[in-house]
């Protein structure tokens, strides 16, 4: 049964090539979009109770060149009507080393332990008050597992010992790096200043109106959540040298690639249709025909996905280090493979069900 199909192997080369290129585009674009999404929303999602972010007026990217040094502005904001709480927040990077001599460069978030709205939602161990411990840090769960860090573990930072005083669960990555959270006092010891003032509004207060009042009172720039998300996204796009219409480009490209995948799978079945009609005329059952079709389609999909993965590795090897290219994520590969399998199964079932035999119709 397979002899005639083996003779047509050259006809399968174009579907394999089209699928592999489409798969590669989907993997590459979704991986880039996933990284941009994580970097854009992670800081906002990390602190879900923050309603307004205040920064220097000259700041137009996430990494501000103008830091906030004046406690007077913080006092002014706290005194405004509609403000439930306000606090400095620091977001920076630092170098740590574990007892195993593994170097870490995590994102270091400095918060005020007296401001509960500035804390992450999901703490597994420890209490927010632990931030008052001298040189103490909270470590995200993924980092603690990878580097075997536990409460009480010692980390070396700037010739000082830092103690892990808590481990928290957080489902999203923060810029693809480990995340440590500590007190503002610990940040001050490293000579850091504060790029943000975070504000929690009272329940019935209007965030947009309060934002305008803060800007008028302090002459700083205030952002509500949606504006701050756009600020981070713009910063991510500038750092990666990507266009501002990145999301629209990705969506249009993905729709085109998915359409090519679907049409390629349909054309794949058209290649084997003459043989299927012949086999059905000779008495093969629908189950056997469907099995034959699925074996061919699954093999082509697997080969196309493998080639797409190779393309991605080649791209990583060719492009200069630091460009916006990443290893594909396992979940993207799995979803792409699963979606292709389900599509091929559905198309194969429809094709086999509509096959007609050769010869004269029975009276």
């Amino acid at each position: 049964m397979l002899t005639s199909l083996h003779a047509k192997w050259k006809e399968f080369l174009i579907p394999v090539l089209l699928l592999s290129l489409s798969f590669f585009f989907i993997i590459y674009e979704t991986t880039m979009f996933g990284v941009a999404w994580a970097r854009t929303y992670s800081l906002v999602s990390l602190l879900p109770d923050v309603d307004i972010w205040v920064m220097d007026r000259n700041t137009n990217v996430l990494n501000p060149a103008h830091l906030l040094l004046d406690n007077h502005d913080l006092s002014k904001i706290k005194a405004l009507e509609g403000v439930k709480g306000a606090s400095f927040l620091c977001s920076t990077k630092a170098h740590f080393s574990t007892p195993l001599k593994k170097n870490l460069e995590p994102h270091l978030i400095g918060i005020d332990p007296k401001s509960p709205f500035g804390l992450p939602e999901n703490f597994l161990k420890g209490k927010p008050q632990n931030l008052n411990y001298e040189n103490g840090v909270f470590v995200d769960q993924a980092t603690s597992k990878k580097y075997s860090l536990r409460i009480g573990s010692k980390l070396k930072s700037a010739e000082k010992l830092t103690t892990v005083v808590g481990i928290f669960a957080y489902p999203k990555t923060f810029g693809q790096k480990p995340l440590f959270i500590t007190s503002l006092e610990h940040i001050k010891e490293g000579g850091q200043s504060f790029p943000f003032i975070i504000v929690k509004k009272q329940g019935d207060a209007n965030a947009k109106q309060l934002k305008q009042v803060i800007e008028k009172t302090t002459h700083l720039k205030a952002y509500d959540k949606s504006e701050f998300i756009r600020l981070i996204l713009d910063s991510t796009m500038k750092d990666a040298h990507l266009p501002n219409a990145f999301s629209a480009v990705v969506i249009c490209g993905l729709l085109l690639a998915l359409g090519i995948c679907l049409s390629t799978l349909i054309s794949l079945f058209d290649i084997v249709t003459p043989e299927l009609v012949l086999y059905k005329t000779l008495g093969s059952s629908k189950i056997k025909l469907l099995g034959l079709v699925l074996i061919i389609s699954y093999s082509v999909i697997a080969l196309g996905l493998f080639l797409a993965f190779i393309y991605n590795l080649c791209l990583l090897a060719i492009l200069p280090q630091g460009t916006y290219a990443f290893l594909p994520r396992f979940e993207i590969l799995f979803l792409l493979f699963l979606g292709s399998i389900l599509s091929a199964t559905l198309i194969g079932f429809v094709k086999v069900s509509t096959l007609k035999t050769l010869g004269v119709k029975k009276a």
Side-chain angles (χ1 to χ4, degrees), residues 300-314:
V300 171
I301 290 172
L303 181 57
L305 196 59
F306 174 75
L307 290 177
F309 183 73
I310 297 299
Y311 299 158
N312 197 280
L313 294 181
C314 293

Side-chain angles (χ1 to χ4, degrees), residues 108-173:
L108 188 62
I109 304 294
I111 59 179
D112 184 354
K114 298 179 182 179
S115 299
F117 69 91
L119 293 171
E121 285 184 311
N122 303 318
F123 281 90
L124 289 183
K125 301 176 182 178
K127 298 179 180 179
Q129 287 76 14
N130 284 346
L131 287 173
N132 291 318
Y133 289 4
E134 185 178 357
N135 293 334
V137 296
F138 279 97
V139 180
D140 66 273
Q141 186 183 24
T143 302
S144 68
K145 288 183 176 180
K146 182 177 181 180
Y147 295 99
S148 300
L149 298 176
R150 299 176 176 83
I151 292 180
S153 297
K154 301 295 183 181
L155 301 174
K156 191 175 182 181
S157 173
E159 304 303 326
K160 295 182 180 180
L161 286 180
T162 298
T163 305
V164 177
V165 298
I167 300 173
F168 66 93
Y170 183 55
K172 294 181 180 179
T173 57

Side-chain angles (χ1 to χ4, degrees), residues 54 68-80 86 88 194 197 214 217-220:
V54 183
L68 306 178
L69 303 173
D70 192 357
N71 289 329
H72 188 54
D73 288 328
L74 179 62
S75 300
K76 285 182 179 180
I77 294 175
K78 286 183 175 180
L80 292 176
F88 280 119
F194 312 125
I197 293 177
I214 291 174
T217 304
T218 63
H219 302 290
L220 298 174

Side-chain angles (χ1 to χ4, degrees), residues 29-43 46 62 91-93 103-109 140 142-143 146-147 170-180 232 236 239-240 322-332:
E29 291 294 323
T30 50
T31 300
M32 283 201 307
F33 187 77
V35 172
W37 181 277
R39 291 181 178 178
T40 301
Y41 292 95
S42 56
L43 184 57
L46 178 69
L62 181 59
S91 174
T92 185
K93 295 179 181 180
N103 293 324
L104 287 174
E105 188 183 3
H107 284 278
L108 188 62
I109 304 294
D140 66 273
T143 302
K146 182 177 181 180
Y147 295 99
Y170 183 55
K172 294 181 180 179
T173 57
F174 186 84
Q176 307 300 305
K177 284 183 175 291
L179 176 62
F180 289 1
I232 302 176
T236 303
D239 291 342
T323 52
Y324 211 68
F326 304 90
L327 278 172
R329 298 182 178 184
F330 172 78
E331 58 266 31
I332 293 176

